[in-house]
Amino acid sequence: MQKLIEARDVYTNFFTFEGVVKALNGVSIIVNQGETYGLVGESGCGKSVTVRSIMRIVQSPGRIVGGKILLFLSREDKGQGIDILKRSEAYMESIRGNDISMIFQEASTSLNPVLSIGYQVAESFLLHRLDEMLKETIDTLKAEIESGKLFITGWWKKFQGLLFKAELKGLERYTDMVAGIDRRLYELEDSTDKISIDERNHLNRKRDRLKKTVFVVQCVRHLPFIKHYGKKLHKTIRIHVIDLLKELGVPNPQNVPDMYPHELSGGMQQRIVIAIALACHPKLLIADEPTSNLDVTIQAQIIDLIKNLKSTSIASVLFITHDLGLVAEMCDRVTVMYAGDACETAAVKDLFKEPLHPYTKGLLRSVPKLKAQKELESIPGTVPNLIHPPSGCRFHPRCPHAKDICSEDKPPLTEHSEGHFIACYLYT
Amino acid sequence: MSNNIIEVRELKKYYPVQGGVFKRHIADVKAVDGVNLAIKKGECLGLVGESGCGKTTLGKTILRLNQATEGRIYFNEPEEKVEEVEKLLSSESREERSRGQKLRQKIDITKFYGRKLLPLRQKIQIVFQDPSNSLNPRMLVKGIIAEPLIAQKLMNAREIEKRVIELLYTVGMAKEHMMRYPHEFSGGQRQRIAIARALATYPEFVLMDEPTSALDVSVQAQILNLLQKLQADFKLTYLFVTHHLLVVKHISNRIAVMYLGKIMETGTTDDIFEDTHHPYTRALLSAIPIPDPETKMEKIILTGDVPNPVNPPKGCRFNPRCKYAKTVCREAEPELEKAAGNHFVACHRWKEL
Ligand SMILES: Nc1ncnc2c1ncn2[C@@H]1O[C@H](COP(=O)(O)OP(=O)(O)OP(=O)(O)O)[C@@H](O)[C@H]1O
Ligand SMILES: Nc1ncnc2c1ncn2[C@@H]1O[C@H](COP(=O)(O)OP(=O)(O)O)[C@@H](O)[C@H]1O
Ligand code: SF4
Ligand code: SF4
Ligand SMILES: [Mg+2]
Ligand SMILES: [Mg+2]
């Protein structure tokens, strides 16, 4: 299977006033192309921090302090991957939104309350699929000019033609330059001598600058004499927005673009957030508890939607949840996390049939099931404070099988059977 | 001897919506809109439904934390007496109705005020969803648990302390925890404290408003086990409000399904899960994510959202989302009717489906 993204032994800390929160304790996950990958665990175990680390959007005072995050996109070397922790912010920005999109639990916080829905979805189109939209606009304009629908005098026609050409060329050059920088950066990635580090910093700065220039160019477009063409562009985008909303099952998609977030219910807001995330055709959609605040019937709608999209327009999904039921329903493979440790990774079927890690076993036994049970089994004790996490295996104070070694060293992640990884001394 | 600890008859609770410059009363949120419900002594009745359907409002109205807009609530009254009053109230003759009203004043707890409420407050208690909001952060655990005891003025300081220690052990905590503040505890422990407080006055009936919704699964299991044990030990009756259907299946003997301020179906847990009649209940059940990749249940995906309770749909409240809706559903509101034994359904077409 093709790897898409890999987190290798990632450590993330939060340097807070009370002390250092050791939120991630060497987490490794691999998301392959075309799969739905689950990340499950109780509140505070580090699910969100893991995906935020992957996207490099850990909030301050948090910092990734160790490990690698490798991205395997088709553009560059697929075998080794690119370590995004070594790349510039501009590079990350082009990845976020272009290749990876993220949706969060609280749909309302991802939407701007004072902007219309149409504007917010359109913005995402403008940001990530500008060249496609431009081309389409030019085509429709051309068609209109040729069919004589649009009355345009000779010089104006010529002028606009030149403008379009210049813009397209500029875009092409920009992409080429960025690609060149990326290639060079990639070559330099693992070299540690001073000269190459300097060059890397220089290239990163250059990329940032280019990004800024493009932004300025985009602002220029709003000058009055280019406006006619801008209007057309908006029309093109609006058609796409409505199409997308229709595809996502938003009732009366013609009117929704003119509404504001507060006029929509939670489920509908989450659909809009998904629309924004999908506007750029991402290779990976990261969904951080997208349905935890919704009712079961609405949750069923959203899950159904994500499943359908998975089979049509998105390649892979990284799905974060605390609900084992949703994992069973949605995911192909899953990692169980506990207090910043990735305890067990397996195919969903294997995990539910034969959980191996003591924490996974406890977790599975403590969920109420459809079959009648007399008493639920529970895991004694509570989740530890991550400022002073337990030594060795972080689960050892609650583990019924803890041995001496468990409190001394962190158990390594080992492959028990094909594709089934466990970090526990019972299996080494 | 009655075997119903609580009887709710045609209960309504409307919250006024104010608007305009003068804050005029312009409409009502019909949070609870004609509920009939009986809770048997010693049972755990699960009340399920989506958020905003009025579960909390119904519970709070039964507890007299809300003043009912209309309807009657009887607490621990013999069945014959309740029936007599209800018959008089619905009678044709004005004289009988006014006699009914007079009798009702004595036993309908929505008509109790002031001192008369005191014994009720002792026998009925509540545990809220979010343990961090329901506990006063500036009070010691001891003070929190003792609060209802002090309010009842039944014990002196020494007895109260003894009772608090006893309660802490009952809920699986220790004496040392008495002199700490709520923020020093985890969510599960805080919920234990809230349960201890609810049990302080030896209640007969406890309203559990989503007591485990804010907790993690492993802690949820601990609390559910504790609640079951307490129910058996102290012969408690629970009204267990939740939106989590697997939890309710685990803990309840009987279930009531609520939608937009009305009860749609009630029956034993097996009735509801095995012999489902109401289309809404079916959709609700099929939407549960099952933690087992081998069982694939067919999903019924409902279209649209829950309508606004200010303006519930005419006829059957569920009709805009129901795929079986017919003309009759849009015109007449179905009442709860008996399907079998203790199983009641409010749907015009349940027999055909
Ligand atoms: N901004 C922050 N400052 C300090 N500590 C933080 C911050 N964000 C997260 N943490 C800590 O990092 C750990 C992991 O948090 P994270 O948000 O990843 O949990 P989660 O698994 O997503 O939980 P939930 O299910 O509640 O969303 C927790 O101990 C948390 O307290
Ligand atoms: N104090 C209040 N004032 C006005 N409306 C309220 C109030 N409390 C609840 N409501 C409304 O009543 C309806 C039912 O609420 P609630 O009983 O809390 O539902 P549930 O507990 O089932 O989620 C909702 O529409 C809610 O917005
Ligand atoms: S490593 Fe030791 S403490 Fe940790 S889960 Fe395995 S047996 Fe338990
Ligand atoms: S009464 Fe009609 S609309 Fe209501 S649930 Fe039954 S079939 Fe559906
Ligand atoms: Mg989270
Ligand atoms: Mg509620």
Side-chain angles (χ1 to χ4, degrees), chain A residues 42-43 265 295 297-301 325-326 328-329 352 363 366-368 370 373 375-376 378-379 381-382 398, chain B residues 50-51 186 216-218 220-222 224-225 228 246 249-250 287 289-294 299 301-302 304-305 321:
Chain A
E42 297 177 278
S43 171
S265 66
D295 279 315
T297 60
I298 308 296
Q299 165 169 288
Q301 291 173 358
L326 283 182
E329 234 157 60
F352 280 86
L363 196 65
S366 56
V367 283
L370 209 49
Q373 305 142 280
E375 199 182 344
L376 293 171
S378 62
I379 307 173
T382 52
R398 299 174 77 184
Chain B
E50 295 177 90
S51 74
S186 70
D216 278 317
V217 261
S218 71
Q220 165 174 293
Q222 294 170 5
L224 288 178
N225 288 339
Q228 276 184 323
L246 289 178
K249 172 160 204 296
H250 178 72
I290 307 292
D292 178 7
E294 307 287 328
K299 298 264 158 196
I301 309 275
L302 289 179
D305 284 317
R321 301 173 83 193

Side-chain angles (χ1 to χ4, degrees), chain A residues 215-238:
Chain A
F215 181 72
V216 173
V217 170
Q218 282 186 1
C219 294
V220 169
R221 205 195 328 276
H222 295 291
L223 290 179
F225 66 97
I226 317 178
K227 224 172 174 178
H228 173 69
Y229 150 76
K231 257 191 212 154
K232 269 273 178 286
L233 180 67
H234 279 147
K235 226 180 220 163
T236 317
I237 293 180
R238 189 176 167 103

Side-chain angles (χ1 to χ4, degrees), chain A residues 319-357:
Chain A
F319 191 84
I320 291 108
T321 179
H322 63 265
D323 188 337
L324 284 159
L326 283 182
V327 170
E329 234 157 60
M330 288 277 295
C331 303
D332 304 315
R333 278 186 329 123
V334 59
T335 291
V336 181
M337 290 188 69
Y338 178 79
D341 276 330
C343 310
E344 182 163 6
T345 299
V348 167
K349 277 208 177 100
D350 298 340
L351 189 92
F352 280 86
K353 205 191 289 161
E354 202 197 350
L356 295 174
H357 195 282

Side-chain angles (χ1 to χ4, degrees), chain B residues 50-57 129 209-210 241 243:
Chain B
E50 295 177 90
S51 74
C53 73
K55 308 182 294 289
T56 303
T57 306
Q129 166 169 5
D209 192 359
E210 314 232 13
V241 174
H243 64 270

Side-chain angles (χ1 to χ4, degrees), chain B residues 220-268:
Chain B
Q220 165 174 293
Q222 294 170 5
I223 298 292
L224 288 178
N225 288 339
L226 173 67
L227 290 178
Q228 276 184 323
K229 185 174 169 296
L230 294 175
Q231 185 183 19
D233 289 355
F234 301 110
K235 308 216 167 22
L236 296 171
T237 307
Y238 289 155
L239 177 60
F240 198 97
V241 174
T242 180
H243 64 270
H244 196 309
L245 287 136
L246 289 178
V247 166
V248 98
K249 172 160 204 296
H250 178 72
I251 198 155
S252 315
N253 318 99
R254 227 153 51 83
I255 295 178
V257 180
M258 198 167 174
Y259 184 77
L260 262 186
K262 274 234 155 180
I263 305 288
M264 291 286 152
E265 185 167 4
T266 72
T268 62

Side-chain angles (χ1 to χ4, degrees), chain A residues 355-371:
Chain A
L356 295 174
H357 195 282
Y359 175 64
T360 318
K361 283 185 188 165
L363 196 65
L364 281 172
R365 282 195 207 119
S366 56
V367 283
K369 308 196 183 46
L370 209 49
K371 273 194 250 88

Side-chain angles (χ1 to χ4, degrees), chain A residues 12 28 32 55 84 136 161 166 180 188 224 246 269 279 289 311 369:
Chain A
T12 301
S28 303
N32 292 320
M55 295 278 275
I84 59 172
E136 210 170 294
L188 290 174
K246 219 183 276 170
Q269 286 181 357
E289 312 224 17
S311 60
K369 308 196 183 46

